[in-house]
């Protein structure tokens, strides 16, 4: 194994011996000096997670979050130099993290925060113009495919995740039942919107490529859902037919 | 718009750009002559980061400073990451691109720190090859930054200054001289920071960095300085800057403040101190 293999392994495993050949100015083996690098790695990754998942952190407290982050970052070190994507596996990690089992909604809160971060960095795209629909015949409308904007996300949960998230980030939303959250980014700031379960079913189908006719058999719900998607900027103009 | 050529960094103070200072910088454009951004923070697909960077680039020369390429890594460069850098540089056409004499990836893990390497014949060849590859991909000359060190390698056979000089000779790359890193490394390794500056291949320097460090001690009580970028530049580093500028002549000087980021006036005052140092350069 190579020198950097041993260095990297010792960085992530605090109980592993400091690699040979690393020395203090007097030639003695470096120990506390190696710990500077260990500390830089663990603290910087933990801080990246704290930045990305502020409500998840608030729900469990700083001490719990840091302990969980310490375990997570050793099990899932980054695969990319882009800290803006680090932590995508945290929601799944929380699902299997026994100490968090008393907060069954925690992983979905992390999914919501992950989706908000994804949305923030997604590509800009022209907003869909609902006026363009007036030129279509009823037949064309039925077979129409709509496109979610690159920054649009849909997060569905068995828990009232928007209520919990809002209460912990200075807002307010209903605090009961399963909740489906549509995230859109009309400008630069992602915004969450609560959908009914029926609306979320339709939105999910449309985002997956269904036509209007395939996505809904109830016109009233379809109309309400489309109104929501139009007004929140969830859709973009299709560039290809 | 510009009072300097946007295609090169002026010999004026610049700062590491933080989004929280966006409005302050545009309201106080005379405080700095250019801005530096970390490449990896601008590799998303869109949104506010790229829009702000584009707007800033209309007013200031921009230096793109990579922190994730792992030029000192044992393995091949990450071709996806190199392609992202290429895309960013093509889009922005920055005044400068720089990276570090360090490694940060091993296998498929990214360790998010600038890690040290021994200075040997083998590492010299490898780093030179990586620099060639970067300069070929980006179609531009890059600057390579001297690291801050907390420990030494028993295997090293080259001094850092000789190693850097040989890299510039082999690859034609320029150097980014971080004067705080010199002070931190020299203190930590029991060397003379003044002798380091005196031995540095100054003909290749294209930019200077300054940042704050924290003071600690190792298990023997020897001083251990940490390159934290979380406070004002220390007085002995300002003194070392004067010695540096006497050798390099006027240079673009960057103030780096990445943690516990202060309000704009504090950062602008550090930039003003760098401007004063530029004005003090002996004729």
């Amino acid at each position: 194994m190579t020198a950097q293999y041993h260095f990297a392994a010792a960085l992530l495993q605090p109980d592993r011996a400091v690699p040979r050949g690393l020395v203090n100015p007097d030639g003695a083996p470096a120990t506390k000096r190696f710990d500077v690098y260990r500390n830089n790695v663990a603290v910087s990754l933990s801080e990246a997670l704290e930045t990305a998942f502020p409500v998840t952190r608030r729900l469990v407290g700083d001490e719990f979050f840091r302990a969980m982050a310490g375990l997570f970052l050793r099990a899932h070190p980054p695969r990319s130099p882009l800290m803006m994507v680090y932590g995508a596996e945290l929601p799944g990690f929380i699902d299997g993290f026994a100490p968090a089992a008393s907060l069954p909604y925690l992983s979905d809160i992390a999914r919501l925060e992950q989706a908000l971060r994804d949305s923030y960095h997604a590509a800009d795209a022209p907003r869909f113009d609902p006026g363009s629909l007036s030129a279509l015949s009823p037949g064309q409308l039925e077979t129409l495919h709509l496109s979610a904007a690159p920054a649009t996300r849909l997060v569905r949960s068995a828990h009232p995740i928007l209520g919990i998230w809002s209460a912990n980030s200075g807002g307010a939303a209903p605090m009961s039942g399963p909740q489906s959250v549509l995230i859109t980014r009309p400008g630069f700031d992602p915004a969450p919107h609560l959908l009914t379960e029926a609306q979320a079913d339709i939105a999910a189908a449309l985002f997956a490529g269904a036509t209007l006719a395939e996505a809904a058999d109830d016109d009233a719900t379809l109309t309400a859902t489309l109104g929501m998607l139009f007004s929140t900027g969830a859709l973009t103009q299709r560039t290809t037919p | 718009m510009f009072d300097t050529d946007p295609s090169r960094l002026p010999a004026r103070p610049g700062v590491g750009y933080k989004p929280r200072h966006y409005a302050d910088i545009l309201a106080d454009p005379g405080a700095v002559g250019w801005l530096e951004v970390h490449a990896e923070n601008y590799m998303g697909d869109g949104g506010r980061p790229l829009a702000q960077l584009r707007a800033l680039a209309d007013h200031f020369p921009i230096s793109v400073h990579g922190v994730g390429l792992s030029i000192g890594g044992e393995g091949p460069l990450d071709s996806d990451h190199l392609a992202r850098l290429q895309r960013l540089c093509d889009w922005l056409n920055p005044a400068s691109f720089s990276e570090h004499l360090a490694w940060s990836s091993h296998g498929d893990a990214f360790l998010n720190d600038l890690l040290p390497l021994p200075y040997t014949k083998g590492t010299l060849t490898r780093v030179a090859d990586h620099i060639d590859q970067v300069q070929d991909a980006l179609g531009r000359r890059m600057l390579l930054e001297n690291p801050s060190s907390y420990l030494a390698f028993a295997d090293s056979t080259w001094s850092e200054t000789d190693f850097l000089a040989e890299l510039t000779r082999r690859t034609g790359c320029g150097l980014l001289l971080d004067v705080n890193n010199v002070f931190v490394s020299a203190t930590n390794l029991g060397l003379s920071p003044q002798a380091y500056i005196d031995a540095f291949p100054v003909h290749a320097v294209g930019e200077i960095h300054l940042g704050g460090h924290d003071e600690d001690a190792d298990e023997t009580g020897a001083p251990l300085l940490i390159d934290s970028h979380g406070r004002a530049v220390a007085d002995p580093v300002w003194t070392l800057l004067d010695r540096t500028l006497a050798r390099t002549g006027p240079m673009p000087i960057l103030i780096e403040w990445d943690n516990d980021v202060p309000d704009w006036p504090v950062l602008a005052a550090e930039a003003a101190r760098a401007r004063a140092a530029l004005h003090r350069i002996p004729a």
Side-chain angles (χ1 to χ4, degrees):
Chain A
M1 286 298 164
T2 64
Q4 288 183 1
Y5 169 87
H6 291 293
F7 199 111
L11 280 178
L12 291 172
Q13 296 168 48
D15 51 347
R16 205 175 160 114
V18 173
R20 268 190 289 239
L22 306 179
V23 293
N24 290 345
D26 58 5
T31 52
K32 181 166 178 185
R33 288 155 180 274
F34 188 77
D35 287 343
V36 176
Y37 295 107
R38 277 182 167 143
N39 189 58
N40 285 349
V41 172
V43 170
S44 70
L45 293 178
S46 185
E47 284 176 354
L49 296 170
E50 289 171 24
T51 302
F53 299 97
V55 172
T56 306
R57 173 190 177 198
R58 191 178 156 130
L59 288 169
V60 297
D62 288 353
E63 197 182 341
F64 187 103
F65 189 90
R66 274 184 206 136
M68 181 169 74
L71 295 169
F72 174 79
L73 66 92
R74 288 174 175 87
H76 299 275
R79 302 294 170 201
S80 159
L82 274 56
M83 284 299 103
M84 69 176 74
V85 302
Y86 183 51
E89 304 109 323
L90 186 64
F93 179 86
I94 293 173
D95 278 330
F97 189 56
S102 60
L103 302 177
Y105 49 80
L106 190 68
S107 63
D108 283 350
I109 294 292
R111 283 185 184 90
L112 180 59
E113 294 196 291
Q114 171 66 20
L116 287 163
R117 179 170 63 156
D118 275 352
S119 175
Y120 183 77
H121 291 289
D124 308 304
R127 188 164 171 157
F128 179 74
D129 171 19
S132 65
L133 297 179
S134 60
L136 301 181
S137 69
Q140 286 173 316
L141 271 179
E142 283 202 350
T143 58
L144 182 70
H145 293 275
L146 294 169
S147 298
T152 297
R153 296 290 183 280
L154 181 62
V155 183
R156 308 192 67 176
S157 173
H159 307 283
I161 51 171
L162 187 60
I164 296 167
W165 181 85
S166 300
N168 287 280
S169 42
M175 192 63 96
S176 63
Q179 286 186 342
S180 292
V181 183
L182 174 71
I183 296 166
T184 65
R185 200 196 79 202
F188 292 138
D189 294 304
H193 313 276
L194 189 59
L195 299 185
T196 65
E197 292 306 289
Q199 289 171 343
D201 288 341
I202 293 173
L206 292 174
F207 295 165
T211 64
L212 294 193
E214 290 161 351
D217 34 36
D218 169 13
D219 279 354
T221 311
L222 178 61
T223 305
T225 306
L226 289 177
M228 184 84 178
L229 296 178
F230 295 158
S231 67
T232 58
L235 304 173
T236 185
Q237 293 291 3
R238 245 183 133 74
T239 48
T240 52
Chain B
M1 293 290 245
F2 287 108
D3 58 357
T4 53
D5 175 359
S7 68
R8 51 190 301 272
L9 300 181
R12 295 176 58 190
V15 294
Y17 170 64
K18 299 293 162 199
R20 58 175 290 186
H21 296 141
Y22 182 71
D24 296 307
I25 288 171
L26 291 177
D28 183 20
V32 293
W34 55 284
L35 299 169
E36 187 159 282
V37 296
H38 286 179
E40 286 71 16
N41 291 340
Y42 297 88
M43 290 180 172
D45 293 327
R48 180 177 284 116
L50 294 179
Q52 282 194 343
L53 182 55
R54 174 52 79 198
L56 291 168
D58 286 340
H59 297 270
F60 297 97
I62 305 285
S63 162
V64 170
H65 188 54
V67 297
L69 192 55
S70 200
I71 282 181
E74 285 170 347
L77 291 181
D78 176 345
S79 56
D80 290 344
H81 197 59
L82 191 53
R84 284 191 289 262
L85 279 171
Q86 194 177 347
R87 208 153 52 234
L88 178 61
C89 287
D90 287 350
W91 175 75
L92 190 66
N93 193 22
S96 175
F97 172 74
S98 51
E99 251 285 357
H100 298 83
L101 177 58
W103 61 284
S104 48
S105 295
H106 185 76
D108 57 359
F110 175 73
L111 298 157
N112 203 35
D113 193 26
L114 297 166
L115 301 165
L117 58 152
Y119 301 138
T120 66
K121 207 170 150 186
T123 58
L124 183 70
T125 304
R126 192 172 75 219
V127 172
D129 287 348
H130 286 168
I131 292 171
D132 285 341
Q133 199 185 339
V134 174
Q135 295 187 138
D136 286 349
L138 300 185
R140 59 166 71 226
R141 181 180 190 233
M142 65 165 286
L143 305 180
L144 188 71
E145 178 175 347
N146 58 299
S148 52
S149 299
Y150 304 114
L151 48 74
F153 287 83
D155 288 348
S156 282
T157 52
W158 292 64
S159 72
E160 190 167 284
T161 47
D162 286 349
F163 193 83
L164 288 165
E166 182 60 15
L167 283 172
T168 67
R169 198 188 65 74
R170 289 195 189 186
T171 68
C173 77
L175 298 173
L176 194 174
L177 175 49
D178 188 317
V179 177
N180 180 61
N181 287 359
V182 171
F183 187 77
V184 165
S185 295
T187 304
N188 289 343
L189 303 181
L191 305 170
S192 157
Q194 292 80 16
Y196 185 104
I197 294 296
D198 294 348
F200 203 81
V202 287
H203 64 277
V205 174
E207 179 184 339
I208 287 174
H209 271 188
L210 297 174
H213 60 253
D214 293 342
E215 296 179 12
D216 198 351
D218 75 4
E219 64 272 47
T220 70
L224 180 54
L225 302 184
I226 313 290
D227 181 30
S228 61
H229 294 184
R231 60 176 66 229
V233 178
D235 285 338
V237 174
W238 287 111
T239 305
L240 197 58
L241 174 68
D242 286 337
R243 189 184 191 99
T244 305
L245 291 174
R247 290 202 67 214
T248 62
M251 275 288 147
I253 302 177
L254 185 86
I255 306 295
E256 292 186 294
W257 200 321
D258 297 317
N259 296 300
D260 297 325
V261 176
D263 289 342
W264 177 248
V266 176
L267 198 54
E270 291 282 277
R273 209 169 161 184
R275 186 177 301 108
L278 285 166
H279 289 156
R280 273 199 303 275
I281 298 176

